[in-house]
Amino acid sequence: MLEIERKFLVLDDSYKALSYNHSHIMQGYICSERGRTVRVRIRDNQGFITIKGPSDIGGLARYEFEQEIPLADAQELMKLCEPGIIDKTRWLVKSGDFTFEVDEFHGDNAGLVMAEVELQSETDQPVIPPFIGKEVTGDRRYYNSQLRSNPYSRW
């Protein structure tokens, strides 16, 4: 499956009042090499494993495979992850026909709030909510796999 998404910095916390749902996410990386990542995620009480391929030139699209796995398996796989676990709260905000996923980071990435919107095609033009700031699509510093090894608190 091809993942097409744009990433943005968030200006303020008005997304919380606009949100229709939120969840707690812990994720680690078994492999975070450039061009391929294998991620283990625990979202509330569910486990997932995700494999992502390299991004295209602009960082907008890449291959993604995600599969739900038993929570106990995800907890065990987290023990195999590289150092640096990502801890965040994800807020879901509808805007037109699109859903923005706003990630409020904790721990070593506290203070960073980023929004992503998944697109059906690279030409989609979502309605941008007022809390959205600078676009950072393709800026590797903002990839979760990079935040693991170079957290926001060190910038």
Side-chain angles (χ1 to χ4, degrees), residues 15-16 18-23 44 89-93 102:
Y15 61 89
K16 291 181 181 180
L18 300 170
S19 170
Y20 67 88
N21 195 2
H22 69 279
S23 57
D44 294 331
T89 301
R90 172 163 290 170
W91 303 80
L92 301 179
V93 178
V102 181

Side-chain angles (χ1 to χ4, degrees), residues 6-11 113-115 128 131-137 139 141-142:
R6 293 174 64 189
K7 291 183 178 225
F8 304 87
L9 297 179
V10 172
L11 299 172
V113 183
M114 218 168 21
I128 304 296
F131 59 81
I132 294 294
K134 177 184 173 187
E135 184 164 3
V136 294
T137 301
D139 186 335
R141 294 177 302 163
Y142 294 101

Side-chain angles (χ1 to χ4, degrees), residues 44-132:
D44 294 331
N45 292 314
Q46 294 177 284
F48 299 88
I49 189 157
T50 305
I51 301 167
K52 293 188 178 194
S55 295
D56 67 6
I57 298 289
L60 188 63
R62 66 182 179 168
Y63 173 82
E64 178 184 70
F65 169 84
E66 184 171 77
Q67 181 71 46
E68 185 171 357
I69 60 175
L71 177 60
D73 290 351
Q75 291 167 330
E76 286 300 311
L77 286 171
M78 287 292 253
K79 296 174 186 176
L80 298 176
C81 289
E82 299 168 343
I85 300 297
I86 299 292
D87 181 7
K88 60 189 179 181
T89 301
R90 172 163 290 170
W91 303 80
L92 301 179
V93 178
K94 282 292 269 181
S95 181
D97 294 334
F98 295 90
T99 299
F100 282 75
E101 298 176 338
V102 181
D103 289 342
E104 175 186 10
F105 290 85
H106 310 296
D108 288 342
N109 290 299
L112 177 62
V113 183
M114 218 168 21
E116 299 177 354
V117 60
E118 290 200 17
L119 310 173
Q120 296 298 313
S121 80
E122 294 183 18
T123 59
D124 283 349
Q125 295 296 319
V127 175
I128 304 296
F131 59 81
I132 294 294

